[in-house]
Amino acid sequence: MIKTQTFISVLSVLFFFSLPFSSFSAPPSSASVCESFVQCFSDKTKSPQAQINKNVFSQTNPSYSSVLRAYIRNARFNTSSTPKPTIIVTPRSDSHVSAAVICSKTLNFILKIRSGGHDYEGLSYISDKPFFILDMSNLRNVSVNLADQTAWISAGATLGEVYYGIWQKSKVHGFPAGVCPTVGVGGHVSGAGYGNMVRKYGLSVDYVEDAKIVDVKGRVLDRRGMGEDLFWAISGGGGRSFGVVLGYKIRLVPVPSTVTVFRVEQYMDSGAVDMVHKWQSVGPKTDRNLFMRMLIQPVTRKKVKTVRATVVALFLGRANDVVSLLAKEFPELGLKKESCEEMTWMQSALWWDNNENATKTDPKVFLDRDLDSASFGKRKSDYVATEIPRNGIESLFKKMIELGKIGLVFNPYGGKMAEVAEDATPFPHRKKLFKIQYSVNWKESSAEIERGYLNQAKVLYSFMTGFVSKNPRNAYLNYRDVDIGVNDHGVNSYKEGEVYGRKYFGKNFDRLVKIKTTVDPGNFFRNEQSIPTLPRKA
């Protein structure tokens, strides 16, 4: 815990750009570092320096600030005191990525890799040590091949761009991934990736057939070139520990021409406790075509503090069928036909992104990357293996009212998820009933307000200890949370990495460490929660 607090405090106040240097020499200036990098980059890519300046941004470049801020998604890490990169590289080709890796390694700088910038703790664009950012947002190609029902999707593409690219070619194909369209492919898929078809089809990585990566030597490798171990590792173990993921070849999945969405709300004094309690036995076990997310939020209603529980659902079928199904399985929900809306799968993706008039919205809105629009936030995660008793739900509601703002999201598993072996990919949590996301957002830029909301998250997380997975208490990599442990990659790197590593990956952590030690023995690709190498034998 002390280590984590130190990390957070350092990120809040540290602001320097020097290279690691010996006690006998002065640190080189940012200008000389940039000059050395540009020369190296020019040599490796055989490009004139004037051309390179379009893709390499030093702190003196007029565009530096806008390029940095574009993909900062958490305003907590967008302050004047937040550590800034010495250089930002925005590659436009595989050779640019390869050169960025080699030149960063040569200059002994940490390389932070950012695709969509949705890493909740900002680990893709901040560091307490001198660093560069490799911003993948220009590598955004989505190439759909309906002949074999696959697509190559570049790491810098957003999920919205992927869905739009598929929709342009087919109205009856989709891809099982997240509901937020501005999330980048690189982080989402390499961290396993899930969405509202997870019960029908499983995780995003379950549909990855090939990949391209730049390794620590700067080589561009496909699945055959990297080997099955490394391919396995970047299919759920996070790409940034092993190299720079350039893209994935994914298999598309069939979706019906008509799907159904609905939203049902209940309050604490009118059935919410019974609805949430019963949801635990229905959500993970019902027809796998049905995904029912549960949102639980403290609210004020008629001047009284209460809790609102909301079921938000996607059914891969017609409204009559899901109404009939839930009348039998989940009468506590009280679903009525008029609460349901039938639409295409693409329209349902727009609806899940809070486009209320989804059937009238142009899908082109998914091409909007919503740049430089960060709000303040904190996320944490848990997994539930056995149902929470009714009195536990009641006590949870009371605790949430007491805290005031922190909310919860329950995501059901079951279906396809439970049928895949836990070691098929690095993601080990497939047999759980559901995943919990702790969620709080705020708009005020105030250190005191931030401390209050961060404390709410920690208090509720502590309160839930008895209801969630144990030994270890599991967490989801793509809901990044530095509270569960960080790594400064010193002599205790393995021990520090094991703390959070086993929470994210369970028994699969051991295989990830072995692969990491083989492919990146010098631990160049590292961040505050990356996979460590095996400790060196004395």
Side-chain angles (χ1 to χ4, degrees):
M1 185 58 68
I2 293 173
K3 180 80 67 178
T4 302
Q5 291 170 343
T6 302
F7 168 72
I8 294 171
S9 64
V10 165
L11 289 184
S12 299
V13 302
L14 194 61
F15 188 69
F16 70 102
F17 307 105
S18 63
L19 274 164
F21 61 95
S22 74
S23 58
F24 303 104
S25 60
S29 67
S30 293
S32 65
V33 168
C34 190
E35 187 178 321
S36 298
F37 183 88
V38 169
Q39 183 61 58
C40 175
F41 199 88
S42 176
D43 293 344
K44 297 299 179 186
T45 60
K46 297 179 173 57
S47 305
Q49 292 192 14
Q51 184 178 334
I52 290 169
N53 290 334
K54 297 177 183 178
N55 301 106
V56 176
F57 300 85
S58 69
Q59 293 167 0
T60 58
N61 189 307
S63 299
Y64 172 91
S65 180
S66 61
V67 173
L68 175 62
R69 290 166 58 97
Y71 294 96
I72 292 179
R73 303 292 188 182
N74 192 336
R76 287 171 57 206
F77 311 116
N78 191 22
T79 69
S80 60
S81 60
T82 304
K84 306 296 191 297
T86 305
I87 295 170
I88 305 169
V89 186
T90 57
R92 294 183 181 274
S93 66
D94 295 357
S95 63
H96 283 183
V97 176
S98 179
V101 169
I102 293 169
C103 296
S104 301
K105 188 180 174 188
T106 300
L107 289 169
N108 199 23
F109 268 69
I110 290 173
L111 187 64
K112 292 284 184 157
I113 306 157
R114 180 171 77 173
S115 51
H118 279 269
D119 185 318
Y120 286 140
E121 299 285 10
L123 301 191
S124 62
Y125 52 84
I126 58 173
S127 176
D128 63 356
K129 297 185 173 62
F131 71 109
F132 302 150
I133 288 177
L134 184 64
D135 186 304
M136 303 290 284
S137 58
N138 286 329
L139 298 176
R140 58 175 75 172
N141 186 53
V142 176
S143 180
V144 177
N145 183 350
L146 278 189
D148 64 359
Q149 300 184 63
T150 64
W152 269 102
I153 53 177
S154 297
T158 64
L159 297 184
E161 289 166 345
V162 171
Y163 298 156
Y164 183 79
I166 296 170
W167 174 81
Q168 283 189 303
K169 293 289 185 73
S170 169
K171 306 301 183 275
V172 291
H173 285 89
F175 181 61
V179 300
C180 178
T182 57
V183 165
V185 163
H188 185 73
V189 176
S190 72
Y194 86 100
N196 54 20
M197 294 197 290
V198 68
R199 302 192 63 256
K200 173 72 171 182
Y201 289 117
L203 300 168
S204 303
V205 288
D206 297 335
Y207 297 85
V208 171
E209 295 189 343
D210 202 346
K212 285 173 67 179
I213 190 171
V214 172
D215 73 355
V216 72
K217 297 178 181 177
R219 299 176 298 181
V220 178
L221 305 172
D222 61 7
R223 179 173 183 172
R224 184 175 180 182
M226 75 180 79
E228 288 303 300
D229 274 346
L230 182 51
F231 178 75
W232 177 86
I234 64 168
S235 300
R240 288 178 293 184
S241 293
F242 305 95
V244 183
V245 174
L246 296 169
Y248 289 99
K249 183 183 181 182
I250 58 169
R251 188 166 77 256
L252 306 181
V253 300
V255 293
S257 56
T258 301
V259 304
T260 302
V261 297
F262 65 82
R263 182 188 307 266
V264 176
E265 294 180 353
Q266 291 187 16
Y267 291 85
M268 189 172 176
D269 59 354
S270 57
V273 173
D274 288 334
M275 182 176 78
V276 174
H277 182 237
K278 182 63 175 291
W279 174 92
Q280 298 177 99
S281 61
V282 179
K285 298 174 184 176
T286 188
D287 187 325
R288 65 184 58 196
N289 289 298
L290 177 59
F291 177 87
M292 294 187 290
R293 170 175 281 180
M294 177 71 74
L295 313 176
I296 305 173
Q297 187 74 40
V299 296
T300 298
R301 189 187 189 212
K302 299 176 182 178
K303 299 182 180 180
V304 176
K305 291 182 178 180
T306 184
V307 168
R308 179 180 65 214
T310 308
V311 170
V312 186
L314 170 69
F315 179 66
L316 298 171
R318 308 298 299 236
N320 283 336
D321 293 333
V322 72
V323 171
S324 175
L325 173 71
L326 292 180
K328 300 172 186 173
E329 292 188 352
F330 198 5
E332 294 84 354
L333 181 65
L335 179 65
K336 297 180 173 57
K337 175 75 179 289
E338 51 266 32
S339 298
C340 299
E341 191 172 0
E342 293 184 338
M343 56 185 64
T344 67
W345 179 80
M346 184 62 178
Q347 289 168 340
S348 78
L350 294 165
W351 185 88
W352 273 78
D353 189 42
N354 297 315
N355 286 280
E356 293 184 5
N357 296 316
T359 56
K360 299 175 182 177
T361 301
D362 188 335
K364 274 190 175 178
V365 300
F366 267 5
L367 303 182
D368 180 4
R369 289 182 160 232
D370 197 21
L371 303 181
D372 195 13
S373 56
S375 62
F376 298 88
K378 173 65 181 179
R379 301 291 187 272
K380 299 176 76 65
S381 62
D382 261 321
Y383 285 91
V384 175
T386 57
E387 293 177 24
I388 302 171
R390 190 182 188 283
N391 61 1
I393 301 294
E394 287 180 321
S395 65
L396 169 61
F397 281 18
K398 291 174 182 175
K399 181 54 114 179
M400 293 178 75
I401 291 172
E402 174 190 317
L403 291 171
K405 189 170 175 67
I406 180 82
L408 298 176
V409 185
F410 291 1
N411 291 287
Y413 281 1
K416 179 69 173 179
M417 279 291 282
E419 297 173 357
V420 179
E422 292 180 28
D423 60 357
T425 68
F427 179 90
H429 316 296
R430 296 178 185 266
K431 309 298 186 195
K432 300 295 190 293
L433 289 177
F434 58 96
K435 172 171 56 187
I436 297 177
Q437 181 184 79
Y438 301 74
S439 175
V440 61
N441 294 319
W442 63 96
K443 295 181 179 179
E444 307 89 348
S445 179
S446 160
E448 183 178 355
I449 289 172
E450 178 172 316
R451 280 194 298 271
Y453 287 135
L454 294 181
N455 186 62
Q456 282 193 33
K458 289 181 179 179
V459 170
L460 190 58
Y461 183 79
S462 177
F463 174 84
M464 291 295 289
T465 302
F467 302 125
V468 298
S469 60
K470 301 171 181 65
N471 302 317
R473 184 172 183 171
N474 298 133
Y476 177 42
L477 180 67
N478 277 357
Y479 291 171
R480 185 79 73 179
D481 179 13
V482 296
D483 296 346
I484 67 171
V486 293
N487 198 331
D488 66 7
H489 300 287
V491 293
N492 294 317
S493 176
Y494 176 80
K495 289 183 178 179
E496 291 172 358
E498 190 174 24
V499 172
Y500 57 80
R502 296 218 180 271
K503 294 173 184 176
Y504 286 139
F505 303 113
K507 294 178 181 178
N508 292 332
F509 175 73
D510 297 310
R511 184 178 175 190
L512 288 169
V513 170
K514 289 178 182 177
I515 296 168
K516 166 71 173 181
T517 306
T518 300
V519 302
D520 183 20
N523 197 23
F524 171 71
F525 291 110
R526 64 188 186 276
N527 62 60
E528 292 76 6
Q529 284 194 339
S530 57
I531 299 296
T533 55
L534 284 166
R536 293 179 180 177
K537 296 178 180 178

